[in-house]
Amino acid sequence: DLKKVYENGINAFVQDCLLNGVETENDFSETYGVLIKEIFSSVRYQVSGVKKTGSKTCEVTVKYQPVDVFTRFKLKEESEKIQADKDAGKYSGTDEEIKEAMVLDYMTGAYSLLRSSYRDMQYTNEQDYPFAVTQKGRNTWSIGDEELNGFIERILELDKL
């Protein structure tokens, strides 16, 4: 089911690229997931050509316009602000409580920055991306995970980070 594949892809992107195993009492997976769905739905791409390369393979070229949402997303400043707050004594409690409070502030601030980056994002120059597509069944075609991940990196400009 394509919807489940899409949902799993969004969840994997959030976990791997945004949360990186960070755990807090708040579950940021859903919050970030909704925003990532908005970002993904705003990207511009379309198939521009198909070239048969074998009896069950072809190359599909996709024209796309990358978005600069992640290159606008400046987390270093957020980290520095939280560290300055810690140094100024904003956080109190045990080391563990301080760490949890800092992580919560970081994740909340990072979400606000990502939302702001999304609102201000720009589309960059149109580019082509070739996919190697393989026929798996009568009406079933597939592309490799690495190719799909490479496309996501390019369309979101993650390769520029």
Side-chain angles (χ1 to χ4, degrees):
D1 170 60
L2 284 177
K3 186 171 171 95
K4 185 164 179 69
V5 169
Y6 176 74
E7 292 291 332
N8 289 342
I10 293 289
N11 291 336
F13 182 85
V14 168
Q15 292 300 319
D16 296 345
C17 297
L18 298 176
L19 300 182
N20 292 322
V22 170
E23 292 185 26
T24 66
E25 289 182 16
N26 295 22
D27 181 16
F28 285 98
S29 298
E30 187 173 331
T31 305
Y32 275 90
V34 169
L35 181 55
I36 292 301
K37 284 179 189 176
E38 288 179 41
I39 293 169
F40 277 27
S41 70
S42 69
V43 298
R44 298 176 182 165
Y45 60 93
Q46 68 181 26
V47 172
S48 64
V50 178
K51 180 173 70 175
K52 193 166 179 76
T53 57
S55 64
K56 294 189 177 213
T57 59
C58 62
E59 181 179 281
V60 175
T61 303
V62 174
K63 282 198 179 300
Y64 67 98
Q65 282 187 275
V67 293
D68 66 355
V69 66
F70 285 97
T71 53
R72 290 177 174 271
F73 185 45
K74 306 292 185 200
L75 287 176
K76 183 177 180 187
E77 291 85 357
E78 187 67 18
S79 296
E80 290 170 352
K81 177 183 162 290
I82 290 170
Q83 185 61 48
D85 287 347
K86 179 184 179 215
D87 295 344
K90 176 184 174 193
Y91 302 102
S92 61
T94 66
D95 287 347
E96 187 62 32
E97 290 169 336
I98 290 171
K99 180 181 174 189
E100 285 179 21
M102 290 174 69
V103 168
L104 180 61
D105 284 354
Y106 178 81
M107 295 305 293
T108 303
Y111 176 82
S112 294
L113 286 172
L114 183 57
R115 175 151 293 287
S116 177
S117 294
Y118 169 57
R119 280 194 302 264
D120 296 338
M121 80 177 184
Q122 299 288 314
Y123 294 92
T124 60
N125 294 332
E126 188 173 75
Q127 299 177 33
D128 290 331
Y129 190 87
F131 286 94
V133 180
T134 305
Q135 186 174 13
K136 296 293 184 184
R138 192 168 140 199
N139 291 318
T140 307
W141 297 81
S142 72
I143 58 173
D145 288 342
E146 286 182 24
E147 279 185 299
L148 186 56
N149 290 337
F151 180 65
I152 290 169
E153 279 186 21
R154 294 256 177 71
I155 203 164
L156 297 176
E157 293 192 328
L158 298 174
D159 57 327
K160 293 185 178 180
L161 300 179

